[in-house]
Amino acid sequence: MLLPVLLTLLPAPAAPMSDWTAPLSTRGRYIVDADGERFKLRSVNWHGASGTSTGTGHHAGEDSGRIPLGLDRAPLEEIVAGIGELAANSVRLPFSSEMVHDQQPVTDTAVAANPSMRGLTPLAVYDRVVTALTGAGLAVILNNHTNTTRWCCGVDGNERWNTSQTTAAWEETWLTMARRYRDNPRVVGADLYNEVRRTVWDDPNWGLGDDHDWFAASQRLGDRILREANPDLLIIVEGINWTGIPVDGFPHERPTLRPVRTLSHTLTTSGKLVYSAHFYDYTGPNHSGATGTGETSDPRYRDLTRTELSDVLQRDAFYVSSTPGRHFTAPVWISEFGIDRNAPAGSKERAWFGNFADFLIQADADFAYWPAVSWTGNNGWGLLFWDSAGARTSVADDWRAADWRRLVETPGRTGHIDPVTRWSMLSPDHGDFIASRHTGDWDPGARKAACPDDQLLIGLSHTGNRGLCTSAGPPWSSSTVVTDERYVTDDWASGYTKLQCPAGAFLVGYAVRGAAMSSALCASGALAGAGRTVWFDRGDNRPVGGPGGDYAYGRYKGQCADDEYAAGIAYTGRLGSSRTPDALFCRRR
């Protein structure tokens, strides 16, 4: 049993852990359950299956034996009960790609407190942990933390999803895991990869289209999981953790979620995207977190004033959830943060943790503390501790209890969340960007973009090939490819080539060859209101306030009004033009 003081210092969960209905999805910046009730992720990380540290650092000496930490010291049921008594409702459960395929049985020592697990593979033990957590009503988010079962997160072979393995192997491992737990509805999410960062020689990027492009890799895998393995999972994408050489005088930074503002994901299933970020006191917006080699003179987060810290958190993460009605609007899950209980009284570390807890509460952010479980004697970061004899202590015994209580006790927004209009970006920058399940290669050789099946196209950029979709319209399932002017009834763009949908149909996609328009994709509907021409060849022409946000930063954009739909695209190949979109034909709904 937990020490009695734990129950006096920490609240009971706001509602019984079983009092929610799977699956989870999103409505704007909130995660909701199947009944539309807000489900705020009050999570903890239970690490170990991704690898543990035998070197230096705040996890020095940990060797979990390739499985979630602590199973050598406490029965599984006791650990799960402890997580619930912390008022957590969910667990981020890291694993390594290597662990999934590891056929070497765990050692008897690694499961000394759980003898029924002797002789099992690490994945079979992981199965037992998932079953126990979900059986207790907790939601489980699978997290591919590492490629190899070794500690991260420096230059260690785990920097990118494809550092120690191919992208194809990474995808197949994820499909294996998503299918493995498909019949367990309380396995609710797939956190695709942990802390994508620089290797010795190369940076990851967000949108360049090469094999280091984290945006493209996570977009592709997210769609594959939803299409091929489990359509119910939340797809969780972390920002880029680090780029550049951490040496004074060289460019280096922690981009986090800043790139999402100008290039965001659009999944084949709307309402499944969650963004994620990590913050620790010893790291910083331009500080790697290193001490000694790799350390720079940049401030760490703990060195920032309270106002500076608030501004940085908003700039790098919270803006995604706090800015409604944009193509990037989504829940933000702070899926790692934590503090050493041995931080001295009056220290910058303690001040940072209190301020950070304040800002999580103010932002009503979903969160996951790192870690849930530690060994007494080797580090002070855990919320629950077991010594070698199996005796347990907890966060209730140290200075962090008050801040943890505030985090789990302050409910934020609760209750039913009404559906909101969704806005989604199309970005066929380097290849097809088809979010529809109902279309295939309708224009061979062209780069194609199509809205999700519950959205329609409402905006285009003059150059750059970007598009904007909205859910403010009817869902669709069948489509017509338009390559000429056969459906044009009025000359709404005199002297320009026009791709117009059949009567009553609306635009849901387009194709380009280079920069030039190639075809339009139209879906059938019962829409046939009066039309108007929206020109955007010489400047922006969008509704007041730019609903949906800037989906083509630095480009001219055209967009129909909220009570309209796009039914045609006009362009010209005259001298000085490149057959890029110049006008939209917008009809009243």
Side-chain angles (χ1 to χ4, degrees):
M1 294 293 291
L2 284 174
L3 294 179
V5 69
L6 179 63
L7 298 182
T8 64
L9 290 182
L10 296 179
M17 288 185 292
S18 60
D19 190 21
W20 59 279
T21 308
L24 302 183
S25 59
T26 69
R27 291 182 177 177
R29 55 90 72 229
Y30 296 107
I31 297 171
V32 299
D33 73 1
D35 297 322
E37 299 293 308
R38 201 269 174 98
F39 187 92
K40 181 175 181 175
L41 293 177
R42 301 190 310 272
S43 316
V44 293
N45 285 270
W46 188 0
H47 75 302
S50 55
T52 44
S53 176
T54 56
T56 60
H58 65 260
H59 285 279
E62 285 182 351
D63 183 0
S64 69
R66 301 168 290 152
I67 57 178
L69 190 73
L71 295 174
D72 61 327
R73 302 187 174 195
L76 173 59
E77 295 75 14
E78 181 180 334
I79 299 175
V80 172
I83 289 171
E85 290 165 359
L86 289 170
N89 63 10
S90 44
V91 173
R92 181 176 182 250
L93 194 63
F95 67 88
S96 73
S97 297
E98 182 182 20
M99 184 218 75
V100 176
H101 307 286
D102 189 348
Q103 295 301 307
Q104 181 69 30
V106 299
T107 65
D108 289 353
T109 301
V111 291
N114 293 271
S116 67
M117 298 180 186
R118 291 177 181 171
L120 298 181
T121 65
L123 182 56
V125 172
Y126 191 93
D127 289 341
R128 296 276 187 95
V129 171
V130 169
T131 298
L133 290 168
T134 57
L138 290 155
V140 169
I141 297 95
L142 309 175
N143 164 234
N144 186 200
H145 207 77
T146 52
N147 299 321
T148 60
T149 310
R150 59 176 294 188
W151 184 247
C152 80
C153 297
V155 181
D156 52 18
N158 294 309
E159 297 90 340
R160 293 192 314 272
W161 62 99
N162 57 358
T163 305
S164 302
Q165 62 182 351
T166 65
T167 296
W170 174 62
E171 291 182 358
E172 289 306 315
T173 296
W174 252 121
L175 294 176
T176 295
M177 292 295 277
R179 290 171 180 140
R180 188 176 189 90
Y181 304 109
R182 179 170 180 163
D183 294 333
N184 187 337
R186 294 192 184 276
V187 175
V188 299
D191 183 347
L192 300 184
Y193 201 73
N194 182 72
E195 295 188 4
V196 173
R197 58 198 181 276
R198 180 185 175 88
T199 62
V200 172
W201 302 111
D202 299 300
D203 282 328
N205 66 78
W206 192 275
L208 295 185
D210 58 17
D211 65 356
H212 294 178
D213 184 346
W214 174 230
F215 169 81
S218 53
Q219 171 72 42
R220 173 181 163 84
L221 177 58
D223 279 343
R224 288 199 69 190
I225 289 172
L226 293 172
R227 289 175 184 264
E228 302 176 35
N230 188 342
D232 291 332
L233 290 179
L234 295 173
I235 301 299
I236 300 165
V237 180
E238 296 185 26
I240 292 178
N241 189 261
W242 185 261
T243 60
I245 301 173
V247 176
D248 286 340
F250 287 84
H252 51 264
E253 64 173 341
R254 194 177 302 280
T256 320
L257 294 175
R258 290 199 304 278
V260 175
R261 186 180 294 276
T262 54
L263 183 59
S264 62
H265 295 72
T266 297
L267 299 173
T268 58
T269 304
S270 297
K272 289 298 181 181
L273 175 66
V274 175
Y275 284 115
S276 175
H278 296 174
F279 295 97
Y280 289 98
D281 72 279
Y282 60 87
T283 60
N286 297 90
H287 200 297
S288 70
T291 300
T293 303
E295 185 174 6
T296 64
S297 59
D298 304 287
R300 302 172 191 262
Y301 289 117
R302 68 187 179 217
D303 298 323
L304 303 179
T305 67
R306 181 178 170 89
T307 298
E308 289 170 340
L309 178 60
S310 176
D311 290 345
V312 166
L313 294 176
Q314 178 65 23
R315 180 196 70 184
D316 292 354
F318 289 156
Y319 81 89
V320 174
S321 56
S322 66
T323 312
R326 299 293 185 263
H327 61 83
F328 57 75
T329 304
V332 171
W333 186 36
I334 307 303
S335 56
E336 282 190 31
F337 73 102
I339 194 70
D340 188 349
R341 66 173 176 172
N342 298 313
S347 64
K348 287 184 177 181
E349 291 89 339
R350 287 202 185 193
W352 172 86
F353 191 70
N355 288 333
F356 191 73
D358 287 344
F359 297 141
L360 286 176
I361 292 168
Q362 290 173 17
D364 197 7
D366 301 78
F367 61 85
Y369 184 92
W370 181 283
V373 178
S374 290
W375 287 349
T376 301
N378 74 305
N379 80 81
W381 284 69
L383 296 176
L384 301 171
F385 300 88
W386 278 266
D387 66 17
S388 58
R392 178 167 57 179
T393 55
S394 79
V395 65
D397 303 310
D398 63 62
W399 64 269
R400 298 171 302 166
D403 286 322
W404 180 250
R405 181 187 179 94
R406 290 191 300 120
L407 281 171
V408 296
E409 191 174 37
T410 307
R413 173 75 182 271
T414 60
H416 187 78
I417 305 295
D418 291 331
V420 297
T421 299
R422 304 185 192 279
W423 302 91
S424 301
M425 172 189 286
L426 297 180
S427 53
D429 302 2
H430 307 289
D432 287 350
F433 199 95
I434 300 174
S436 168
R437 296 171 183 261
H438 296 314
T439 61
D441 190 0
W442 76 80
D443 194 342
R447 300 196 315 279
K448 296 165 284 293
C451 298
D453 299 329
D454 60 349
Q455 299 185 32
L456 52 78
L457 187 70
I458 200 166
L460 283 175
S461 63
H462 175 56
T463 57
N465 303 311
R466 296 285 179 85
L468 181 69
C469 305
T470 179
S471 64
W476 56 278
S477 58
S478 60
S479 57
T480 301
V481 180
V482 178
T483 58
D484 54 36
E485 297 189 334
R486 71 182 65 191
Y487 299 113
V488 176
T489 56
D490 298 305
D491 191 1
W492 49 272
S494 180
Y496 286 71
T497 301
K498 294 171 282 293
L499 302 178
Q500 184 172 334
C501 295
F506 48 88
L507 285 168
V508 294
Y510 55 96
V512 295
R513 296 175 186 271
M517 289 299 306
S518 177
S519 64
L521 188 69
C522 302
S524 301
L527 308 176
R532 68 182 179 104
T533 304
V534 173
W535 294 97
F536 53 98
D537 55 335
R538 298 182 182 181
D540 267 11
N541 193 351
R542 296 187 291 158
V544 175
D550 192 344
Y551 58 92
Y553 187 77
R555 313 278 184 168
Y556 296 153
K557 295 166 286 292
Q559 187 172 324
C560 300
D562 292 350
D563 61 350
E564 295 178 325
Y565 65 97
I569 306 168
Y571 60 89
T572 180
R574 67 181 60 158
L575 184 65
S577 299
S578 302
R579 296 170 58 91
T580 62
D582 293 306
L584 284 171
F585 186 48
C586 300
R587 286 187 179 276
R588 295 292 297 274
R589 298 183 191 276

